[in-house]
Amino acid sequence: MTVLLSAAPLAILFLTFLLLRPHSIWPATVGSDPQVSLPARPGYPFKIALFADLHFGENAWTDWGPRQDVSSVNVMSTVLDDETPDFVVYLGDVITANNIPIANASLYWDQALSPTISRGIPFASVFGNHDDAPFEWPLEWFSAPGIPPVHCPVANSSFSGDCSFRGIQRLELMKNEIEQNAQSFSSKGPVDLWPSISNYVLPISPTNNSRSPVAYLYFLDSGGGSYPEVISNAQSEWFKTRSLEINPDSRVPELIFWHIPSKAYEKVAPSSGVPKPCVGSINKETVASQKAETGIMDILANRTSVKAVFVGHNHGLDWCCPDNKLWLCYARHTGYGGYGTWARGARIIEINQHPFSIKSWIRMENHDVHSQVDLSS
């Protein structure tokens, strides 16, 4: 994150400290309990890049798979250099765990984070259905020439896990990300929401007034992989309770991030093309929603501070459509892993403080920008 030379020395000191130690506790915001806060430069937009469906580690035993991962790094690097965001959200399916036979999935996770880390940009992640999916034995392995040899990481690598055919679980992935990356703002979330893991909230606060957040970012685990694709009633109640605690009068806008779209997306999805009031460029498949709806959408719809929900999962969709006063948005398929040949890119979100606005657009790998939408209207 860039700090202007004209900024007050105290603000520079606090911001530098936060970037170096992002899990330090920031003073309390709205509500009574302290929490981690994302620093925003006073008077400047706060920009977020969403990287969705990267699918690192897919077909890892072939030449094709590693080439796709390199291409995915190039997409992220282009977006980061073009947009210079303040924050990055990894919106699920960071890896394709069902294609990773040995317990080194965190190496692929780290590779996916590398463009963001190398630029010193803070980030957070939320899980998708492929991130801890059980390994699926390829049928061709049971024909000649048989199961390929397991290639363990080289001796001088950071990998120190079990080099055998077993996968990795959500909790292990999140633990590794948080412990190994000072720029990670991710959280394991409340233990009583298990088996879902990535459930947490981050305020965005000006560096000169940390007690007055500009927005709250909520992250929810939409399941899949090792358990059903669903946001549980317990998660819904956690959001309801937490949002009332820290934003009781709904004064501060809230943005919601999870991976698999809710069934509400099916109701607003355009039948063909992307006609107004929806905004987007591709509508090439039907919505693949969660298996059940347990109450989260009713809670969000009745909370005036919630402005938009952002999901991934469907690689052939990138639209935002209004659902009454709430916007339901897709990201853009960022990774070269996963299905589909549509051009890659990333959704960008920009939060302006004065006057307040939330705007979004899609930045493509070829540098083009399209699908601008005002989510605060």
Side-chain angles (χ1 to χ4, degrees):
M1 183 179 294
T2 303
V3 180
L4 296 182
L5 294 178
S6 60
L10 183 59
I12 295 175
L13 177 63
F14 272 114
L15 183 54
T16 302
F17 177 74
L18 183 62
L19 290 179
L20 292 175
R21 296 287 303 277
H23 290 287
S24 300
I25 297 299
W26 199 264
T29 54
V30 176
S32 58
D33 58 329
Q35 54 193 290
V36 175
S37 181
L38 297 172
R41 293 176 295 162
Y44 285 82
F46 188 90
K47 189 183 291 186
I48 304 169
L50 306 186
F51 292 149
D53 297 281
L54 294 165
H55 289 281
F56 273 70
E58 189 157 302
N59 286 22
W61 56 88
T62 67
D63 292 334
W64 176 89
R67 286 200 303 268
Q68 306 314 302
D69 294 346
V70 171
S71 296
S72 298
V73 167
N74 290 338
V75 177
M76 290 186 283
S77 297
T78 296
V79 170
L80 294 174
D81 291 341
D82 285 353
E83 293 287 351
T84 61
D86 300 288
F87 191 64
V88 171
V89 173
Y90 285 85
L91 199 57
D93 281 4
V94 177
I95 60 176
T96 301
N98 45 297
N99 276 187
I100 302 175
I102 65 175
N104 64 340
S106 284
L107 290 180
Y108 293 103
W109 195 278
D110 292 344
Q111 186 182 3
L113 300 178
S114 63
T116 301
I117 291 173
S118 66
R119 289 164 174 79
I121 304 171
F123 63 90
S125 62
V126 67
F127 286 114
N129 53 300
H130 282 280
D131 289 318
D132 75 341
F135 177 66
E136 296 176 2
W137 290 79
L139 189 60
E140 60 266 26
W141 284 15
F142 296 90
S143 302
I147 298 174
V150 173
H151 295 288
C152 295
V154 295
N156 61 353
S157 76
S158 60
F159 175 69
S160 60
D162 177 18
C163 192
S164 62
F165 281 75
R166 73 173 187 88
I168 191 167
Q169 298 301 308
R170 274 171 161 79
L171 194 57
E172 293 177 78
L173 286 167
M174 186 61 77
K175 182 174 181 288
N176 179 78
E177 179 193 308
I178 294 171
E179 291 181 352
Q180 301 300 321
N181 299 289
Q183 293 154 231
S184 173
F185 276 74
S186 300
S187 173
K188 292 178 289 187
V191 295
D192 56 351
L193 297 183
W194 187 87
S196 67
I197 298 297
S198 50
N199 304 284
Y200 55 99
V201 56
L202 293 172
I204 302 171
S205 301
T207 54
N208 63 350
N209 189 2
S210 63
R211 298 184 66 87
S212 297
V214 176
Y216 285 107
L217 310 182
Y218 279 89
F219 301 85
L220 292 169
D221 189 341
S222 56
S226 59
Y227 73 97
E229 299 176 351
V230 65
I231 292 177
S232 68
N233 178 259
Q235 289 171 275
S236 302
E237 290 301 315
W238 170 81
F239 169 81
K240 183 177 181 179
T241 300
R242 193 78 179 97
S243 59
L244 287 174
E245 285 175 352
I246 64 176
N247 194 17
D249 56 3
S250 296
R251 176 179 57 84
V252 181
E254 297 159 335
L255 301 179
I256 317 297
F257 302 88
W258 65 65
H259 180 70
I260 304 173
S262 66
K263 292 189 176 298
Y265 276 73
E266 297 176 348
K267 299 176 182 177
V268 302
S271 57
S272 63
V274 188
K276 293 181 179 180
C278 297
V279 179
S281 69
I282 55 172
N283 183 24
K284 300 296 185 179
E285 58 178 323
T286 57
V287 173
S289 65
Q290 298 168 33
K291 301 303 182 185
E293 170 60 55
T294 66
I296 186 63
M297 291 310 303
D298 287 341
I299 293 172
L300 298 182
N302 290 318
R303 188 164 174 80
T304 58
S305 46
V306 177
K307 302 303 180 183
V309 179
F310 300 92
V311 303
H313 195 57
N314 283 107
H315 301 180
L317 303 174
D318 73 352
W319 43 257
C320 285
C321 290
D323 184 19
N324 295 317
K325 295 182 179 180
L326 175 67
W327 283 90
L328 302 181
C329 292
Y330 275 96
R332 177 82 185 205
H333 185 197
T334 306
Y336 272 80
Y339 69 90
T341 59
W342 304 287
R344 269 55 173 184
R347 179 168 292 283
I348 307 298
I349 304 167
E350 184 180 79
I351 303 172
N352 289 279
Q353 301 174 43
H354 303 292
F356 180 83
S357 67
I358 303 173
K359 297 179 180 179
S360 184
W361 58 87
I362 293 173
R363 170 71 69 170
M364 301 300 294
E365 181 182 14
N366 67 357
H367 308 286
D368 286 349
V369 173
H370 61 81
S371 303
Q372 295 91 338
V373 59
D374 187 346
L375 301 176
S376 50
S377 59

